[in-house]
Amino acid sequence: MYGNITIVDGPGKDAPADDPVKLAEFEARIAAGEKIEPHDWMPAEYRRQLIRMIEQHAHSEIIGALPEGTWITRAPGFKRKMALMAKVQDEVGHAQLLYSAAETLGKPRERMLDDLINGRSKYSNVFNYPAFTWADTAVIAWLIDASAIINQVANSKGSYAPYCRALERICQEESFHLKYGYDNVVTLATGTPTQRTMVQEALNRWWRPIMHFFGPPDTASQHTEKLMRWKVKMASNDDMRQQFFNQYVPKIYELGLTVPDAELAKDPATGKWTYGDPDWDEFKRVINGDGPCNKERLAVRKTAEERGRWVREALARPREQQYVTPLS
Ligand code: FAQ
């Protein structure tokens, strides 16, 4: 229940059509660059899409804490351990902000988490791959955080105010993560031959998942057109991928590293990058539950849900009941 709205999963696809006058007013507000607040009228499909997207984003942050989280005990040195712990904690904090933003649209957090652990809701493809070595964590913190920033800076200029507010704060923290990741990659890339090999191998492992991170090509994207019209998404999947190439491929080359795609090249005439097929079938398999770590990731979340239930129940209990003991 949110205000006078009771929505559990967002209106289904068969929800009654929106009032055309209200819809036209809403679209005029969007066109004028106004922000939409939770109590404002919004089309049922706008609400449904926002819940889908913000919820998937929130899940990506808590699941995203896991590949790097497994390295906290093995981080090389105390300073890096402290930094990694802080980063992982930040990612979980981002999930809190995003679940709160999604809740303003009427879907309770418990339902979102239930949909995650029961495989009804997606989360970012990249977190279904393992972090085999310390260099994997460096590449995640540099290039996946970089990709997330490209996406989130764009989304933060969007139309739904609570999501934009959450993203502004998240982007500040992600920028710090990126610097931490870059520092780790530079250390490895300028280190011993073994360290250089380790970071190159990690980059090779993550390249394809990073290509998938921005979503399918625009021609295959289901939601982009509608989401861009309503200013929920402020850049298309292909535009974000191009931005990533422009900003990060030169930095990768600068470190003497290579990209595992022989077809990657910038067309000097158009300024556009062309790249080899990153295996979109693999992307589909991974986002639909059949990646290398999907089962493991969800099992960890399921255990966390079960073990933490008593804490959530205690917090939800009215204050007076919390102190009632058999002796009182
Ligand atoms: N992974 O029609 P489109 C992070 C799905 S946060 C999984 O193009 P859309 C921080 C899509 O949901 C990372 N599924 O979709 C961090 C849809 O399926 P559905 C997360 C994907 O929404 C860093 C179907 O494919 N960020 O990394 C993916 O227009 C380091 C059709 O696709 C966000 O969630 C994918 N990569 O565009 C944490 C940002 N791509 O729902 C720890 C918000 C597509 O119909 C360590 N989200 N799909 O069943 C967005 O901006 C958009 O949702 C896109 C996808 C751009 C991800």
Side-chain angles (χ1 to χ4, degrees):
M1 181 82 177
Y2 187 80
N4 58 354
I5 307 159
T6 306
I7 290 167
V8 173
D9 292 324
K13 288 212 168 78
D14 312 326
D18 292 308
D19 176 340
V21 175
K22 286 189 171 157
L23 181 60
E25 282 168 8
F26 172 85
E27 294 202 321
R29 289 189 65 193
I30 299 279
E34 282 184 40
K35 298 273 187 205
I36 306 300
E37 293 287 350
H39 287 288
D40 293 344
W41 187 90
M42 62 185 82
E45 179 62 5
Y46 177 85
R47 183 185 299 278
R48 194 180 74 85
Q49 284 284 352
L50 274 169
I51 292 175
R52 177 190 70 82
M53 211 176 94
I54 304 173
E55 176 182 357
Q56 287 182 8
H57 191 168
H59 296 332
S60 304
E61 300 278 357
I62 39 168
I63 298 273
L66 301 178
E68 289 171 283
T70 57
W71 276 90
I72 291 174
T73 53
R74 295 170 288 166
F78 187 63
K79 268 190 180 167
R80 290 200 178 86
K81 192 191 287 284
M82 295 274 282
L84 180 59
M85 275 171 65
K87 178 185 190 298
V88 167
Q89 191 174 319
D90 283 353
E91 307 296 4
V92 177
H94 298 169
Q96 300 286 0
L97 292 171
L98 292 162
Y99 283 125
S100 297
E103 279 183 317
T104 63
L105 292 150
K107 182 167 178 180
R109 185 176 302 221
E110 294 71 28
R111 284 296 301 259
M112 293 188 243
L113 288 167
D114 195 55
D115 284 351
L116 169 66
I117 58 181
N118 289 301
R120 288 188 294 268
S121 182
K122 290 192 172 69
Y123 57 89
S124 186
N125 68 299
V126 278
F127 304 120
N128 289 306
Y129 292 85
F132 286 127
T133 69
W134 172 250
D136 290 276
T137 71
V139 172
I140 295 172
W142 183 32
L143 294 180
I144 294 184
D145 278 84
S147 308
I149 290 170
I150 289 172
N151 168 285
Q152 291 166 179
V153 166
N155 286 352
S156 75
K157 312 269 188 309
S159 60
Y160 189 57
Y163 187 40
C164 300
R165 286 192 282 267
L167 288 177
E168 272 169 30
R169 161 137 180 217
I170 291 171
C171 286
Q172 303 273 346
E173 292 183 354
E174 301 287 30
S175 306
F176 205 74
H177 300 167
L178 182 147
K179 287 192 171 65
Y180 153 85
Y182 186 58
D183 182 64
N184 284 339
V185 169
V186 171
T187 304
L188 295 169
T190 57
T192 64
T194 307
Q195 287 174 315
R196 287 186 67 80
T197 305
M198 206 165 90
V199 75
Q200 181 64 63
E201 285 175 356
L203 178 54
N204 296 349
R205 277 194 286 278
W206 287 94
W207 186 256
R208 221 175 39 245
I210 290 171
M211 292 301 94
H212 298 159
F213 179 91
F214 298 99
D218 291 352
T219 46
S221 169
Q222 297 161 36
H223 307 292
T224 297
E225 200 225 307
K226 189 184 297 168
L227 291 180
M228 287 192 74
R229 180 157 50 87
W230 281 335
K231 296 190 183 166
V232 171
K233 237 169 125 167
M234 300 298 279
S236 78
N237 302 355
D238 284 333
D239 286 348
M240 291 188 282
R241 224 177 336 262
Q242 288 289 328
Q243 197 183 330
F244 175 82
F245 291 138
N246 276 331
Q247 284 180 246
Y248 292 96
V249 172
K251 290 191 202 306
I252 290 169
Y253 291 159
E254 205 176 88
L255 292 172
L257 299 170
T258 58
V259 168
D261 177 358
E263 292 174 50
L264 185 75
K266 190 173 187 172
D267 180 337
T270 61
K272 290 262 174 213
W273 293 80
T274 47
Y275 57 101
D277 178 10
D279 190 352
W280 289 109
D281 287 338
E282 174 179 324
F283 166 74
K284 282 182 206 145
R285 278 196 307 277
V286 171
I287 68 169
N288 287 307
D290 189 19
C293 298
N294 296 57
K295 287 190 181 64
E296 182 186 325
R297 301 285 184 245
L298 288 188
V300 172
R301 285 307 323 160
K302 215 172 233 171
T303 306
E305 276 308 293
E306 282 159 11
R307 295 204 182 146
R309 186 170 302 126
W310 71 271
V311 179
R312 292 192 304 280
E313 283 173 2
L315 285 169
R317 216 178 298 151
R319 183 171 261 278
E320 58 278 14
Q321 281 183 24
Q322 287 181 22
Y323 301 101
V324 175
T325 66
L327 294 178
S328 61

